[in-house]
Amino acid sequence: MFRISLRLVSDSGDPDEVSLATDVVPEKTEKAGEMSPRTGNPYKFSQWTARIGPQRIAGSPDDAFHELASWGLPTAEAIRKLVAEGCWEATLMIVQEFRDPENVFEKGISMDPKIIEWLAASGAGADIDQYILYE
């Protein structure tokens, strides 16, 4: 099972700038200094998060990776510009849950060269969290 998103964080940036630069609708945004409705405290940093693929991906994450690549290199370059200006940090967040030791899709993650090219063009890193949920 996978969850994949692209997340940009900033000490003081405006998430609307990311949306305008990328023409991508985020799933979640928070702006530094604005009040959290959940805690009532101000957010300490800004974030812009776009989910890639379905909420939970059963099987291979390839379709989600292809969705990201379909955003195109101009979108990646727009993110690179935001990152280069020193205001934002971009990360492809991949969460993998291991539930079945016999499932071939739970043996690792492979990325098509187009995904690596897109990440390089955007200046984004990759953060992979893996959780083993069986004994």
Side-chain angles (χ1 to χ4, degrees), residues 90-122:
T91 307
L92 179 65
M93 309 291 291
I94 302 169
V95 177
Q96 182 180 22
E97 297 174 357
F98 296 93
R99 296 178 180 272
D100 178 2
E102 302 304 318
N103 185 333
V104 68
F105 296 116
E106 295 188 2
K107 303 298 184 196
I109 300 170
S110 63
M111 292 186 193
D112 185 277
K114 288 182 180 183
I115 302 308
I116 304 301
E117 178 185 22
W118 196 95
L119 290 171
S122 70

Side-chain angles (χ1 to χ4, degrees), residues 19 27 41 48 52 54 71 87 98 120:
S19 297
E27 176 184 24
N41 295 321
W48 179 97
I52 302 168
W71 292 2
C87 190
F98 296 93

Side-chain angles (χ1 to χ4, degrees), residues 10-15 29-37 39-47:
S10 170
D11 287 336
S12 60
D14 184 345
T29 62
E30 296 172 353
K31 187 173 180 183
E34 289 184 351
M35 294 301 211
S36 165
T39 66
N41 295 321
Y43 293 116
K44 295 181 192 263
F45 60 91
S46 296
Q47 79 170 309

Side-chain angles (χ1 to χ4, degrees), residues 3-93:
R3 291 188 311 274
I4 301 174
S5 61
L6 182 68
R7 182 175 186 231
L8 278 75
V9 295
S10 170
D11 287 336
S12 60
D14 184 345
D16 290 340
E17 292 176 17
V18 179
S19 297
L20 288 171
T22 62
D23 201 30
V24 173
V25 177
E27 176 184 24
K28 176 182 180 181
T29 62
E30 296 172 353
K31 187 173 180 183
E34 289 184 351
M35 294 301 211
S36 165
R38 188 174 63 79
T39 66
N41 295 321
Y43 293 116
K44 295 181 192 263
F45 60 91
S46 296
Q47 79 170 309
W48 179 97
T49 304
R51 183 176 61 223
I52 302 168
Q55 178 72 22
R56 291 183 148 327
I57 301 167
S60 170
D62 289 347
D63 287 344
F65 291 148
H66 291 299
E67 178 183 324
L68 177 62
S70 77
W71 292 2
L73 290 178
T75 299
E77 291 162 359
I79 292 170
R80 159 86 78 206
K81 184 177 178 186
L82 292 167
V83 169
E85 290 170 354
C87 190
W88 293 92
E89 182 179 311
T91 307
L92 179 65
M93 309 291 291

